[in-house]
Amino acid sequence: MADQCFPQLSAGAVVQYPFRKVRKYRAIRNVLPDGRLIQLPDPGARQVQWELTYNNLTFDDVEALRSHYRVCKGPLQSFTFLDPMANLLAFSESLRATVWQSSSQFAIAEINGSPRPDLRAYSVTNTSQADATLFQRIAAPSFYTFCFSLYLRSEEPANVGLVQTAITAKSSAERECTTHWSRVCLSATLTERSSALSAGLTLAPGQRVYVSSPQLEAQYAMSEYKPTWSRSGVYLNARYGMPEIVVSVESPNIYSMTIVVEAAE
Amino acid sequence: MNTFPLLRTGAVTQYPLLLGTSQGVSIIRFLDGAEQRFLSQGRQFRRWQINLRQLSDAEISRLETFFEQQSGAYSPFTFPDPYSRTDVPNCRLDPEEFAVDVTAFMSSTTSFWVVETNG
């Protein structure tokens, strides 16, 4: 495995508009004379494919993409790909899942009254005697630009810390938490080059807030919330879906190209 | 049985909606021009082409989740037919892939068929 992540452009995004994402499924089917079906699903054949079109790239961006293609030896070796349309956090609708870790003791309970009827909300209380962080770690380059967002509410106005960390590097900011649901975010680009990033919120001793819809995206600004359960937008074994990478030089220092990335579900 | 997800406006789909009704018939033609015809499909089935544009990220995410829950064309679901305004059971998705064109921020396009089956 090449152990490389698909490069992020110098603008801080993985893709440009427009791009195409295709999810493929397969079922083995027998059709009876009366139209009834006998089917078996083939979960092993599930695949997702992204067709990424880039325009007006700089030389540095082009070389980053070409270099990555060379390192992966084209379609041969796999790499980590961050789905630009997905939430990079797993179990965003279940803060009690084991993927959510904490530096200390937290009491987490599901509550009624989320920001949207189809979403879940949780009461999160720091029961320890020191500041504590509830976070999730993902396998992604820590030096990329990420935006961590979530809905917050509390019984009384208070400040809550949002944090993104690598091994030693850390970016944090306080966000105001009001008595009404409000969506807050932290956008950061850490300088440390490691292969994992953690994102979460920090509460003071005894502090309780209501949390809903946490989301992490590989871009500067937050987009509409996408709920996740067992599958997140981090694909650890993606591969290039084309045997050749072609760059079109449109004019001096202006390039365009199309890249196909595939991953099994 | 799952139900087809609605858009945030409460609508099932957008205009234009294509609706097809099919009846499988086999035809044997003889040398003298005579024909023998018989039903090759036990009943007539309907299908609907769903064309959706300018969908938000949340709407696309709901559709993507629905495709995943259905495992593509494998599982049947109930489809609220906007033409007859009735719920049609035993419908399936076609083709076995869900393609989304993300054209701009909060603007995606997708198209697929919903086909009625006999279970």
Side-chain angles (χ1 to χ4, degrees):
Chain A
M1 180 175 167
D3 197 24
Q4 294 260 348
C5 189
F6 190 83
Q8 195 177 49
L9 302 177
S10 53
V14 176
V15 300
Q16 296 177 347
Y17 290 122
F19 66 92
R20 186 173 167 91
K21 176 181 177 181
V22 181
R23 279 186 181 274
K24 299 181 181 180
Y25 304 87
R26 181 172 176 262
I28 303 166
R29 178 185 299 183
N30 280 332
V31 184
L32 301 181
D34 63 354
R36 277 182 297 158
L37 299 174
I38 299 176
Q39 293 197 120
L40 277 176
D42 186 1
R46 287 190 184 185
Q47 195 181 54
V48 59
Q49 183 183 78
W50 297 266
E51 189 176 305
L52 312 176
T53 302
Y54 298 96
N55 292 299
N56 298 325
L57 291 181
T58 64
F59 178 80
D60 290 341
D61 283 337
V62 166
E63 278 305 296
L65 291 167
R66 293 182 71 235
S67 172
H68 185 258
Y69 187 85
R70 284 195 298 266
V71 167
C72 294
K73 297 180 171 55
L76 179 65
Q77 295 182 358
S78 62
F79 54 88
T80 298
F81 182 73
L82 307 179
D83 187 349
M85 282 190 69
N87 186 349
L88 303 181
L89 297 174
F91 290 101
S92 67
E93 288 291 285
S94 178
L95 294 187
R96 303 185 67 172
T98 54
V99 294
W100 289 99
Q101 306 169 54
S102 61
S103 58
S104 189
Q105 290 293 322
F106 275 94
I108 302 174
E110 190 171 352
I111 61 169
N112 294 322
S114 58
R116 266 175 25 200
D118 57 327
L119 302 179
R120 294 184 181 183
Y122 291 84
S123 162
V124 178
T125 308
N126 178 6
T127 59
S128 69
Q129 304 299 314
D131 287 355
T133 302
L134 179 67
F135 63 95
Q136 185 176 138
R137 180 175 291 118
I138 68 167
S142 60
F143 52 94
Y144 282 12
T145 298
F146 290 96
C147 180
F148 173 61
S149 60
L150 72 170
Y151 281 97
L152 289 175
R153 183 172 70 86
S154 61
E155 297 294 339
E156 293 178 356
N159 284 333
V160 173
L162 301 189
V163 61
Q164 292 184 29
T165 59
I167 299 174
T168 56
K170 177 178 175 179
S171 176
S172 62
E174 290 208 328
R175 296 289 181 255
E176 189 179 353
C177 186
T178 67
T179 55
H180 302 283
W181 285 110
S182 60
R183 196 170 181 212
V184 297
C185 72
L186 168 67
S187 298
T189 308
L190 301 178
T191 54
E192 179 181 337
R193 299 182 74 88
S194 71
S195 58
L197 174 88
S198 298
L201 70 160
T202 301
L203 301 183
Q207 186 177 15
R208 170 187 293 176
V209 296
Y210 303 110
V211 176
S212 179
S213 314
Q215 175 158 282
L216 185 66
E217 305 167 85
Q219 59 191 44
Y220 184 78
M222 63 180 176
S223 67
E224 198 169 13
Y225 171 67
K226 276 84 72 175
T228 63
W229 291 269
S230 58
R231 158 140 302 286
S232 72
V234 180
Y235 291 83
L236 299 177
N237 292 301
R239 283 181 165 81
Y240 283 102
M242 73 280 190
E244 179 184 39
I245 187 167
V246 178
V247 177
S248 173
V249 186
E250 307 294 337
S251 60
N253 206 34
I254 294 182
Y255 307 85
S256 64
M257 62 198 308
T258 298
I259 287 179
V260 178
V261 177
E262 300 172 338
E265 286 273 48
Chain B
M1 190 178 293
N2 288 333
T3 302
F4 188 80
L6 303 179
L7 302 177
R8 61 182 171 177
T9 56
V12 175
T13 184
Q14 299 169 348
Y15 291 117
L17 170 69
L18 291 182
L19 167 63
T21 304
S22 67
Q23 173 64 70
V25 173
S26 291
I27 305 172
I28 299 174
R29 291 190 174 87
F30 300 98
L31 288 176
D32 62 354
E35 291 180 346
Q36 190 175 62
R37 299 180 175 222
F38 56 92
L39 294 177
S40 61
Q41 189 174 289
R43 47 171 285 201
Q44 294 182 2
F45 294 113
R46 293 165 288 180
R47 62 177 192 152
W48 303 261
Q49 187 183 46
I50 309 297
N51 295 302
L52 302 172
R53 298 172 303 281
Q54 294 185 343
L55 297 186
S56 67
D57 289 356
E59 288 171 315
I60 279 292
S61 177
R62 274 200 295 275
L63 281 170
E64 201 169 353
T65 301
F66 179 72
F67 261 77
E68 192 156 346
Q69 288 170 345
Q70 299 304 114
S71 295
Y74 172 68
S75 300
F77 59 91
T78 300
F79 179 68
D81 177 12
Y83 183 82
S84 65
R85 299 183 187 183
T86 59
D87 289 338
V88 181
N90 292 319
C91 290
R92 285 180 164 86
L93 298 163
D94 182 45
E96 285 189 295
E97 63 178 40
F98 177 65
V100 177
D101 289 303
V102 185
T103 53
F105 177 67
M106 290 281 284
S107 181
S108 298
T109 299
T110 186
S111 178
F112 52 89
W113 288 86
V114 173
V115 297
E116 182 183 15
T117 65
N118 203 12

